[in-house]
Short mmCIF file of all heavy atoms in Angstrom, two decimals:
data_model
loop_
_atom_site.label_atom_id
_atom_site.label_comp_id
_atom_site.label_asym_id
_atom_site.label_seq_id
_atom_site.Cartn_x
_atom_site.Cartn_y
_atom_site.Cartn_z
N ARG A 27 4.20 -11.06 -8.31
CA ARG A 27 3.99 -9.67 -8.77
C ARG A 27 3.36 -9.69 -10.18
O ARG A 27 2.47 -9.02 -10.51
CB ARG A 27 5.34 -9.00 -8.85
CG ARG A 27 5.05 -7.49 -9.42
CD ARG A 27 6.44 -6.71 -9.45
NE ARG A 27 6.92 -6.49 -8.10
CZ ARG A 27 8.11 -5.93 -7.92
NH1 ARG A 27 8.91 -5.71 -8.91
NH2 ARG A 27 8.50 -5.71 -6.68
N ASN A 36 -6.29 -7.39 -16.50
CA ASN A 36 -7.28 -8.08 -17.37
C ASN A 36 -8.72 -7.58 -17.23
O ASN A 36 -9.49 -7.79 -18.02
CB ASN A 36 -7.24 -9.53 -17.07
CG ASN A 36 -6.01 -10.21 -17.65
OD1 ASN A 36 -5.30 -9.45 -18.46
ND2 ASN A 36 -5.65 -11.37 -17.38
N PRO A 38 -11.43 -4.49 -16.71
CA PRO A 38 -11.64 -3.02 -16.71
C PRO A 38 -12.16 -2.54 -15.33
O PRO A 38 -11.70 -1.44 -14.92
CB PRO A 38 -12.71 -2.82 -17.85
CG PRO A 38 -13.02 -4.10 -18.38
CD PRO A 38 -12.20 -5.19 -17.80
N ALA A 54 -5.08 11.55 0.05
CA ALA A 54 -4.88 11.51 1.48
C ALA A 54 -3.41 11.97 1.81
O ALA A 54 -3.22 12.68 2.78
CB ALA A 54 -5.16 10.11 2.03
N ARG A 77 -22.64 25.67 8.09
CA ARG A 77 -23.79 24.95 7.44
C ARG A 77 -24.12 25.61 6.08
O ARG A 77 -25.32 25.72 5.88
CB ARG A 77 -24.93 24.78 8.40
CG ARG A 77 -24.62 23.82 9.44
CD ARG A 77 -25.40 23.95 10.75
NE ARG A 77 -26.81 23.88 10.50
CZ ARG A 77 -27.69 24.14 11.41
NH1 ARG A 77 -27.31 24.61 12.56
NH2 ARG A 77 -28.99 23.92 11.20
N LEU A 92 -18.19 21.83 -1.49
CA LEU A 92 -19.05 20.80 -0.86
C LEU A 92 -19.79 21.35 0.38
O LEU A 92 -20.21 20.58 1.16
CB LEU A 92 -18.25 19.56 -0.62
CG LEU A 92 -17.58 18.85 -1.77
CD1 LEU A 92 -16.82 17.72 -1.35
CD2 LEU A 92 -18.59 18.52 -2.89
N ALA A 96 -21.13 22.33 10.81
CA ALA A 96 -21.66 23.22 11.84
C ALA A 96 -20.65 24.07 12.46
O ALA A 96 -21.09 25.14 13.01
CB ALA A 96 -22.24 22.26 12.93
N ALA A 104 -12.14 19.05 5.19
CA ALA A 104 -12.45 18.05 6.28
C ALA A 104 -12.36 16.65 5.67
O ALA A 104 -11.85 15.70 6.40
CB ALA A 104 -13.82 18.35 6.86
N LEU A 106 -10.64 15.58 2.95
CA LEU A 106 -9.26 15.16 2.76
C LEU A 106 -8.49 14.72 3.90
O LEU A 106 -7.83 13.73 3.94
CB LEU A 106 -8.48 16.37 2.00
CG LEU A 106 -8.91 16.65 0.59
CD1 LEU A 106 -8.31 17.90 0.07
CD2 LEU A 106 -8.57 15.45 -0.30
N ASP A 142 0.42 -25.10 19.91
CA ASP A 142 -0.52 -25.01 18.81
C ASP A 142 -1.97 -25.05 19.31
O ASP A 142 -2.77 -24.23 18.93
CB ASP A 142 -0.34 -26.23 17.83
CG ASP A 142 -1.17 -26.11 16.58
OD1 ASP A 142 -1.64 -25.03 16.23
OD2 ASP A 142 -1.41 -27.14 16.04
N ILE A 172 -7.06 7.74 18.76
CA ILE A 172 -6.66 7.05 17.60
C ILE A 172 -5.82 5.85 17.99
O ILE A 172 -6.12 4.71 17.40
CB ILE A 172 -5.80 8.04 16.72
CG1 ILE A 172 -6.73 9.09 16.01
CG2 ILE A 172 -5.10 7.18 15.64
CD1 ILE A 172 -6.12 9.76 14.91
N GLY A 228 2.29 -15.54 1.73
CA GLY A 228 1.52 -14.90 0.54
C GLY A 228 0.08 -14.87 0.77
O GLY A 228 -0.55 -13.79 0.52
N VAL A 230 -1.55 -14.67 3.41
CA VAL A 230 -2.01 -13.58 4.36
C VAL A 230 -2.02 -12.22 3.72
O VAL A 230 -2.75 -11.42 3.83
CB VAL A 230 -1.08 -13.65 5.64
CG1 VAL A 230 -1.48 -12.53 6.58
CG2 VAL A 230 -1.16 -15.06 6.33
N VAL A 232 -2.26 -11.50 0.61
CA VAL A 232 -3.41 -11.34 -0.35
C VAL A 232 -4.64 -10.90 0.23
O VAL A 232 -5.28 -10.04 -0.23
CB VAL A 232 -3.49 -12.73 -1.15
CG1 VAL A 232 -4.80 -12.58 -1.96
CG2 VAL A 232 -2.31 -12.82 -2.08
N ALA A 267 -20.88 11.00 11.33
CA ALA A 267 -21.65 10.99 12.53
C ALA A 267 -22.03 12.48 12.92
O ALA A 267 -23.21 12.77 13.27
CB ALA A 267 -20.91 10.46 13.77
N VAL A 289 -17.27 5.44 1.11
CA VAL A 289 -17.79 4.32 0.37
C VAL A 289 -16.91 3.99 -0.85
O VAL A 289 -16.57 2.88 -1.15
CB VAL A 289 -19.26 4.69 -0.16
CG1 VAL A 289 -19.69 3.76 -1.25
CG2 VAL A 289 -20.24 4.50 0.95
N SER A 294 -13.49 0.44 -3.41
CA SER A 294 -12.34 0.19 -4.33
C SER A 294 -11.38 -0.83 -3.66
O SER A 294 -10.85 -1.69 -4.26
CB SER A 294 -11.60 1.52 -4.61
OG SER A 294 -11.10 2.09 -3.49
#
Side-chain angles (χ1 to χ4, degrees):
Chain A
R27 181 179 293 172
N36 283 351
R77 288 153 65 189
L92 299 181
L106 289 173
D142 183 25
I172 289 197
V230 179
V232 166
V289 164
S294 65

